[in-house]
Amino acid sequence: MSRRPWWRGLGHRALLVIATVYCVFPIYYMLVQSLKSAQEDVFGNPLIVMNPTFENFEELFEQRGETRGFVGRALRRSYPVLDWLENTIVVFAGSVAVTLVASVLAAYALGRLQPPGFRWWRRIIFASYVIPHTILFVPLYQVIITLHLENNLLALLVVYPTLALPFCVWILSAYFQQLPREVEESALVEGAGRAKAFFQILLPMSRPVMVAAGIFTIGTIASDFTLASVFLLDAHSKTIPAGLATMEVALDELLAVAGINLMAIPVVLICAVFARGYVRGLTAAMVEGA
């Protein structure tokens, strides 16, 4: 039996290191910039921070007047970051909850109850996911105006679940379809109703796929600022991505980078913590016939 050449293993490791650096470098660069003072940002090394400071994050949350001057700190504006943070948490939590509840119910109906033509229904739902959101932008805006939800967080709670729902329904219905029916049928024989069997047996078994659906929903919401920027025009009603787009980067570059970290790092940590569950969920859902 011939052994694999040593240089092939070294090449694989080198490619892995390059891919890791390529993915992690933008996060590292943003973190380094957010920890620099204004002086070090101008005269220091762009890739290294020698004297890390949290003054950018502290200044980001300071509430100063809107009066602008020509020198010093008065040149900078204050931003309602606390309002943005509160709005972002509400939108994230509400959108993920609505998406998971709706996708679980729809996926159970398609994958478990299997109505006539359920495979075609599932394909149609998934096909709607690949439609570019920019095509739907004008109709969605008209719907928001008709419902009088402009400048209201409910606008995002209505729209955001529609962005992730097709994919979540697809993977969850595929998972429900391939689960052994004997487990659920044994509970029904012992006297449990279909609802009890669903909540006490199927849902706990579906935890990895639900984690995958939740992380996908978070990533979809976090990557959007266009819808939030248009639907939420008031400065105090914006989310963090939409609020950062209103910053004057030429004057508040380090504050903007600190705000980006405020948004990005928690999302990265959530994905890192649940990475194994995310992979397990996608693997469990990717069965033949999905």
Side-chain angles (χ1 to χ4, degrees):
M1 183 175 179
S2 59
R3 298 180 58 185
R4 188 173 62 176
W6 65 270
W7 52 266
R8 182 175 298 178
L10 182 61
H12 290 170
R13 293 186 180 89
L15 289 176
L16 180 61
V17 171
I18 293 174
T20 303
V21 172
Y22 181 80
C23 295
V24 174
F25 178 77
I27 303 174
Y28 166 79
Y29 184 79
M30 288 191 304
L31 182 61
V32 167
Q33 298 305 310
S34 65
L35 297 177
K36 286 184 176 181
S37 62
Q39 181 178 2
E40 187 173 358
D41 179 52
V42 176
F43 301 104
N45 190 314
L47 301 179
I48 301 175
V49 53
M50 302 302 297
N51 300 303
T53 177
F54 290 100
E55 66 179 12
N56 295 317
F57 292 92
E58 295 174 358
E59 189 172 352
L60 188 66
F61 288 98
E62 286 182 2
Q63 297 295 328
R64 298 186 303 275
E66 294 291 335
T67 304
R68 303 181 62 84
F70 295 96
V71 293
R73 297 169 62 90
L75 188 62
R76 296 185 175 182
R77 298 175 57 188
S78 63
Y79 301 96
V81 179
L82 290 177
D83 294 336
W84 297 350
L85 181 60
E86 181 181 354
N87 296 337
T88 303
I89 294 174
V90 171
V91 169
F92 271 48
S95 300
V96 171
V98 171
T99 302
L100 288 182
V101 171
S103 60
V104 165
L105 295 178
Y108 181 80
L110 291 175
R112 209 66 179 171
L113 303 181
Q114 296 183 357
F118 74 95
R119 290 184 183 275
W120 283 105
W121 283 111
R122 186 164 58 195
R123 291 168 183 170
I124 292 173
I125 292 175
F126 181 71
S128 66
Y129 169 69
V130 300
I131 298 176
H133 299 153
T134 52
I135 297 178
L136 304 175
F137 180 77
V138 174
L140 286 175
Y141 186 66
Q142 292 177 343
V143 171
I144 296 302
I145 293 178
T146 302
L147 297 177
H148 303 287
L149 294 179
E150 57 269 24
N151 276 332
N152 194 323
L153 293 181
L154 287 177
L156 297 184
L157 293 177
V158 170
V159 174
Y160 276 164
T162 65
L163 305 181
L165 196 59
F167 183 81
C168 295
V169 171
W170 183 67
I171 62 173
L172 281 166
S173 62
Y175 180 76
F176 283 141
Q177 181 182 352
Q178 59 93 25
L179 276 179
R181 290 187 174 274
E182 292 78 7
V183 178
E184 186 179 9
E185 291 174 353
S186 62
L188 296 176
V189 170
E190 293 178 0
R194 186 174 292 276
K196 185 175 182 181
F198 172 74
F199 286 106
Q200 295 188 359
I201 297 177
L202 291 184
L203 273 187
M205 295 176 63
S206 309
R207 187 178 295 112
V209 189
M210 293 182 65
V211 169
I215 291 179
F216 176 82
T217 303
I218 291 176
T220 302
I221 297 172
S223 62
D224 172 75
F225 81 93
T226 304
L227 296 177
S229 299
V230 174
F231 295 160
L232 306 176
L233 300 178
D234 184 73
H236 293 272
S237 64
K238 293 183 178 295
T239 58
I240 291 179
L244 293 177
T246 64
M247 282 189 170
E248 298 184 16
V249 180
L251 299 176
D252 300 318
E253 175 186 357
L254 298 181
L255 295 185
V257 175
I260 293 173
N261 279 279
L262 186 68
M263 178 72 182
I265 292 179
V267 175
V268 171
L269 292 178
I270 291 174
C271 294
V273 170
F274 294 100
R276 178 172 297 182
Y278 181 73
V279 175
R280 288 177 57 193
L282 290 182
T283 303
M286 298 305 165
V287 294
E288 186 178 356

